[in-house]
């Protein structure tokens, strides 16, 4: 029965930000600062730390700016305490400032709170607390949590911090991952979660809390996932038996002890989250693409065809699929556009691709045979998660293609394909983009094979061609000089146009997104054939136009568009296949790719546009890994 999903959608709001907490035998500060540095992808307009000393005093150090500025500031303090919480912020309520930076304290500085999320009813709570005599210092929503806990401690909770936190969360509307410390509990940390991610772990020497497992890299591989509505008490007591000294107890929202918290293991390569000699993470992540793809392709072809066991879907269910919705945001949305063409061409299943932020407010046609595929590097993008929940509620099966193990997307989906690209730290997505495209190729081949639309021989041929892609990317990486040479075309420009047709239109869109996000140069992508319906008016002498025109079925058509812009004075930078004399004559700069099947060219060609964006951003003096206003994980709708 066809069901139309109405415009009813629960709001899944959360602000970005990253939090970490520690209590244990060692000094807390090194972990807190390292953890914040790792979580800086979640936001970096201000940062702060609260340290709890034996002497029953909380020291709060916070500032506007990056974690590095906080680390500098911390050097001025005697920072030996072994319990602390810390925060890196992406402002939603209250401008970025020293005062609005977390942690936030109660009226008397007896407790300190960090928070990732949004308290939607904070104004109402603040008015109530102010009327009761509480004194607020910041304009944030978070500060109400500190005062609400303080108020509860005085009243119903009678000094019991867990109960006070439990009562506070029962009054709050919105989303949160919270960590709290209190002066009279020098070896304890209290946390709560609803809607924003929070993971916990213990080692022999301490108990840890973090927004994301990456902050625990090199510390442990066994992690507790705090579930929505749960709270936890983390403690360290040197007098307990060995192995028991650090302890985590998890509670439901009603205070009942959770006997078996949800746990998972992570297969770490700790070095993956360091720069390893590269000038920036983006450079490193661009270079890692061949390896990431090889890893993903390992053992994917068996005698039975493409192995995609993760899909957990029967041949009968595949045969019955009537439509696929692919939902994603930003760069991951571009992967969806490529995936659509592959699935429709090879498996002949109709595919709709939607940007999650739009999809969530549209009516969608879902039957019990509809498959929803969400693509998300971080697995935490609020809009994408909301789409998955909407599709689930409408009865569709949800498959997540994601990079982050144990992410919300992975946990909520019915099936997960991990793209195994390793931690992606730079805000601009590169290796996750190409790995997600490769995962989409595998999905398309798998569906084509299982629906009988592609014979085993052809599947095998296409897989073998796919296995050559990492080598071809390696070849493109050696041609970075071509991208560097093209940089002068952009340094004084106000804007740039990216054109392409078919797969090339998506590569152009991704190239434009990369350029604008890291170089702050306006860039617009347009299907090349559409250009004459408007954007051609932009072209003037020296206007940079990047044309994606590899040797594919639309090459001749795209060459006409190159001629059109050239005739109007544009500086033309063309992504073309080796030895294309015609294009060489027409272009001012060439970004050359080795010959490859046209359905794999988007995976290879985009590497040039990633490098081009990086060189232009470097020439314009921009911060490559942390572009202004952006955060890696967009957990706000
Ligand atoms: C651009 C970029 C963003 C993300 C988007 C979705 O380089 O990284 O456009 O692609 O925010 O993020 P994920 O894939 O984590 O859902």
């Amino acid at each position: 029965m066809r069901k139309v999903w109405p415009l009813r959608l629960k709001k899944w709001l959360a602000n970005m930000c990253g939090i970490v907490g520690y209590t244990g035998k060692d000094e807390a500060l090194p972990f807190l600062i390292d953890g914040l540095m790792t979580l800086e992808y979640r936001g970096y307009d201000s940062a702060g730390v609260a340290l709890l000393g034996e002497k029953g005093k909380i020291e709060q150090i916070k500032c506007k700016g990056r974690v590095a500025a906080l680390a500098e500031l911390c050097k001025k303090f005697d920072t030996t305490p072994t319990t602390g919480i810390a925060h890196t912020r992406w402002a939603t309520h209250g401008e970025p400032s020293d005062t609005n930076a977390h942690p936030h304290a109660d009226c008397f500085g007896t407790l300190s709170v960090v928070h990732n999320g949004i308290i939607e009813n904070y104004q109402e709570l603040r008015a109530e607390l102010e009327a009761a005599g509480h004194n607020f210092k910041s304009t944030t929503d978070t500060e109400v949590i500190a005062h609400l806990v303080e108020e509860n401690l005085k009243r119903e909770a009678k000094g019991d911090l867990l109960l006070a936190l439990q009562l506070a969360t029962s009054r709050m509307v919105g989303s949160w991952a919270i960590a709290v410390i209190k002066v009279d509990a020098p070896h304890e940390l209290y946390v709560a979660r609803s809607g924003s991610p929070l993971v916990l772990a213990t080692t022999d020497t301490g108990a840890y809390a973090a927004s994301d497992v990456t902050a625990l890299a090199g510390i442990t591989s066994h992690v507790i996932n705090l579930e929505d509505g749960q709270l936890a008490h983390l403690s360290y007591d040197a007098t307990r038996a060995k192995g028991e000294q650090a302890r985590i107890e998890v509670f439901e929202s009603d205070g009942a002890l959770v006997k078996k918290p949800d746990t998972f293991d992570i297969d770490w390569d700790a070095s993956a989250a360091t720069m390893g000699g590269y000038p920036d993470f983006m450079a490193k992540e661009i270079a890692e693409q061949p390896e990431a793809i090889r890893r993903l392709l390992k053992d994917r072809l068996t005698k039975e065809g493409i192995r995609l066991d993760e899909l957990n879907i029967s041949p009968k269910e595949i045969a019955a699929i009537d439509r696929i919705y692919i939902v994603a945001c930003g760069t991951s949305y571009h992967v969806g556009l490529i995936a659509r063409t592959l699935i429709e061409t090879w498996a002949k299943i109709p595919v709709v691709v939607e940007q999650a932020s739009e999809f969530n407010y549209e009516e969608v046609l879902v039957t019990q045979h509809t498959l929803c595929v969400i693509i998300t590097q971080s697995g935490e993008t609020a809009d994408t998660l909301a789409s998955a929940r909407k599709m689930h509620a409408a009865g569709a099966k949800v498959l997540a293609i994601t990079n982050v193990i144990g992410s919300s997307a992975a946990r909520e989906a019915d099936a997960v394909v991990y793209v195994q690209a390793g931690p992606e730290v730079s805000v601009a997505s590169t290796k996750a983009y190409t790995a997600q495209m490769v995962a989409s190729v595998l999905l398309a081949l798998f569906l084509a094979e299982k629906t009988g639309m592609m014979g085993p021989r052809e599947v095998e041929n296409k897989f073998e061609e796919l296995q050559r892609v990492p080598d071809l990317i390696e070849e493109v990486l050696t041609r970075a000089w071509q991208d560097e040479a093209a940089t002068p075309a952009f340094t004084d420009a106000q804007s740039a146009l990216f054109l392409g047709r078919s797969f090339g239109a998506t590569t152009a869109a991704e190239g434009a997104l990369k350029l604008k996000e890291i170089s702050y140069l306006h860039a617009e992508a347009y299907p090349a054939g559409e250009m004459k319906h408007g954007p051609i008016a932009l072209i003037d002498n020296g206007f940079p136009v990047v044309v994606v025109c590899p040797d594919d079925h639309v090459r001749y058509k795209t060459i006409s568009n190159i001629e059109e812009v050239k005739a109007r004075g544009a500086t033309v930078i063309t992504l073309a296949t080796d030895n294309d004399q015609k294009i060489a004559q027409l272009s001012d700069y060439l970004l050359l790719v080795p010959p490859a099947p046209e359905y794999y060219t988007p995976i290879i060609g985009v590497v040039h546009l990633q490098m081009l964006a990086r060189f232009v951003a470097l020439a314009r003096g921009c911060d490559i890994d942390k572009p202004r206003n952006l955060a890696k994980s967009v957990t706000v709708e």
Side-chain angles (χ1 to χ4, degrees):
M1 243 262 293
R2 190 169 285 273
K3 212 157 51 173
V4 176
W5 181 245
L7 284 171
R8 252 186 300 115
L9 187 64
K10 181 164 187 230
K11 274 209 154 248
W12 289 91
L13 279 170
N15 76 7
M16 299 186 256
C17 311
I19 68 173
V20 279
Y22 173 81
T23 184
K25 181 167 144 251
D26 302 322
E27 277 183 40
L29 194 64
F31 164 71
L32 297 177
I33 295 292
D34 284 356
L36 288 190
M37 296 257 182
T38 315
L39 295 179
E40 236 182 346
Y41 74 87
R42 300 178 69 89
Y44 37 80
D45 59 44
S46 46
V49 58
L51 296 162
L52 175 51
E54 288 289 346
K55 293 179 201 133
K57 189 168 178 295
I58 294 176
E59 189 84 67
Q60 284 193 166
I61 308 158
K62 47 193 204 168
C63 61
K64 185 177 166 188
R66 302 244 165 124
V67 177
L70 175 72
E72 265 315 298
L73 207 59
C74 286
K75 285 185 189 156
K76 295 189 200 139
F77 290 82
D78 174 18
T79 50
T80 51
T82 57
T83 297
I85 52 178
H87 187 271
T88 179
R89 181 165 188 248
W90 188 84
T92 56
H93 292 68
E95 54 166 20
S97 67
D98 292 357
T99 315
N100 284 340
H102 299 211
H104 291 286
D106 62 339
C107 294
F108 302 101
T110 56
L111 60 90
S112 194
V113 176
V114 288
H115 164 223
N116 165 212
I118 291 175
I119 308 305
E120 291 172 35
N121 59 338
Y122 83 101
Q123 278 163 323
E124 193 183 309
L125 292 171
R126 181 172 177 147
E128 184 185 313
L129 288 158
E130 279 177 337
H134 288 261
N135 190 2
F136 281 73
K137 295 179 190 67
S138 75
T139 52
T140 64
D141 54 337
T142 300
E143 199 182 344
V144 297
I145 305 173
H147 293 278
L148 201 51
V149 172
E150 177 189 16
E151 185 68 16
N152 292 333
L153 280 169
K154 268 195 297 195
R155 302 188 186 284
E156 301 98 297
K158 300 196 171 31
D160 177 342
L161 183 50
L162 184 71
L163 180 58
L165 186 57
Q166 191 189 325
L167 291 168
T169 54
S170 72
R171 296 284 320 277
M172 287 155 31
V173 177
S175 62
W176 55 83
I178 307 167
V180 188
I181 51 173
K182 187 163 171 281
V183 280
D184 57 6
H187 303 290
E188 293 170 62
L189 194 67
Y190 291 82
V191 297
R193 175 199 168 164
S194 180
S196 302
L198 195 63
V199 290
L200 312 172
T202 54
T203 62
D204 286 348
T205 53
Y208 300 80
S211 293
D212 178 323
V213 290
T214 51
L216 302 175
I219 292 172
T220 180
S221 56
H222 188 63
V223 176
I224 296 175
N225 172 55
L226 198 67
E227 296 193 73
D228 271 347
Q230 292 182 333
L231 300 94
H233 175 223
L234 288 70
S235 60
Y236 183 82
D237 182 348
T239 65
R240 285 188 203 134
K242 207 165 178 317
E244 296 278 303
Q245 290 160 328
R247 182 179 289 168
I248 294 177
E249 294 155 298
V250 177
F251 303 91
E252 297 296 1
S253 56
D254 61 1
L257 184 72
V258 177
K259 292 210 181 85
K260 269 194 156 194
D262 181 30
T263 58
F264 61 97
D265 290 310
I266 304 146
D267 188 11
W268 286 118
D269 171 6
S271 67
T274 66
M275 218 121 82
Y278 285 87
D280 47 72
F281 277 106
M282 188 179 184
K284 178 177 180 244
E285 288 158 9
I286 288 174
E288 283 173 345
Q289 293 178 101
E291 255 339 284
I293 295 172
R294 285 189 188 107
R295 200 158 46 232
L296 178 56
L297 291 182
K298 193 161 176 285
D299 301 329
R300 289 289 177 182
L301 187 70
T302 68
K303 281 199 209 91
E304 286 76 47
I306 298 291
R307 195 177 60 75
L308 209 55
D309 307 340
E310 305 97 310
L311 218 57
N312 192 19
I313 186 167
S314 69
K316 207 169 142 211
E317 283 175 294
I318 293 174
I321 295 174
D322 59 357
R323 171 194 312 245
I324 297 177
Y325 274 96
I326 300 181
V327 195
C329 299
T331 285
S332 295
Y333 167 75
H334 295 153
V335 176
L337 296 174
I338 300 289
R340 173 179 58 197
T341 309
L342 296 175
I343 295 171
E344 289 190 335
T345 312
W346 292 346
K348 313 286 180 219
I349 301 172
V351 181
V352 180
V353 192
E354 297 264 11
Q355 282 154 328
S357 54
E358 289 296 311
F359 176 81
N360 292 336
Y361 303 97
E362 303 281 330
E363 291 200 351
V364 291
L365 301 174
V366 177
T367 73
Q368 55 182 338
H369 301 303
T370 305
L371 175 68
C372 172
V373 180
I374 54 168
I375 305 177
T376 165
Q377 186 287 131
S378 62
E380 301 296 347
T381 301
D383 286 318
T384 308
L385 292 176
S387 304
R389 288 162 188 154
K390 172 175 170 168
M391 290 303 269
H392 252 153
K397 184 163 177 148
V398 176
L399 162 69
I401 296 180
T402 186
N403 190 33
V404 178
I405 298 169
S407 59
S408 300
R411 307 187 72 75
E412 291 186 23
D414 301 295
V416 189
V417 175
Y418 284 117
V419 301
Q420 303 170 45
E424 194 179 62
V425 178
S426 186
V427 164
S429 183
T430 52
K431 63 176 178 173
Y433 177 64
T434 46
Q436 286 173 167
M437 276 197 282
V438 170
S440 304
V441 173
L442 290 174
L443 176 65
L445 286 176
F446 180 83
L447 293 173
E449 186 183 36
K450 296 291 178 270
T451 50
M453 290 295 159
M454 197 184 277
R457 176 67 57 82
E458 199 183 342
V459 170
E460 208 176 303
N461 285 345
K462 292 226 163 20
F463 185 81
E464 277 165 11
E465 288 167 345
L466 184 60
Q467 279 183 310
R468 284 198 288 277
V469 165
D471 294 347
L472 299 178
I473 293 180
E474 257 158 21
E475 176 58 36
V476 171
L477 291 172
T478 66
R479 303 175 183 190
W481 62 270
Q482 296 172 351
D483 303 287
E484 194 168 12
T487 305
F490 299 88
T491 34
D492 294 326
Q494 299 299 313
S495 184
L497 192 59
F498 282 65
L499 302 175
R501 288 171 183 256
S502 184
F503 286 121
T506 304
T507 304
E510 177 59 11
L513 178 60
K514 287 288 93 92
L515 186 70
K516 64 188 145 197
E517 76 180 307
I518 63 167
S519 76
Y520 315 146
L521 177 64
H522 172 255
E524 183 170 357
Y526 234 75
E530 279 289 296
M531 176 196 54
K532 54 187 169 297
H533 300 289
I536 198 163
L538 293 168
I539 314 287
D540 201 353
N541 263 351
F543 188 97
V545 180
V546 178
V547 188
V548 180
C549 187
D551 188 10
D552 60 16
H553 72 285
V554 284
R555 174 178 165 273
Y556 271 106
K557 291 277 174 203
T558 315
I559 286 178
S560 311
N561 303 124
I562 300 179
E563 309 226 29
E564 284 160 11
V565 295
K566 193 72 208 151
R568 288 160 178 84
T571 299
V572 178
I573 305 101
T574 313
L575 179 71
T577 304
D578 283 347
N579 303 318
D580 193 325
Q581 298 308 328
K582 173 79 183 155
I583 290 179
Q585 279 163 16
L586 289 171
S587 307
D588 297 284
Y589 299 97
L590 283 172
L591 315 177
L592 292 172
V593 290
E598 69 173 273
Y599 34 85
Y600 295 150
T601 305
I603 313 172
I604 302 156
V606 75
V607 176
H608 261 307
L609 301 189
Q610 296 166 347
M611 295 193 291
L612 179 69
R614 182 176 169 276
F615 281 121
V616 175
L618 281 174
R620 291 165 67 95
C622 300
D623 183 334
I624 300 294
D625 289 332
K626 296 192 185 77
R628 70 183 178 207
N629 303 338
L630 287 169
K632 181 86 183 147
S633 184
V634 185
T635 54
V636 62
E637 278 189 273

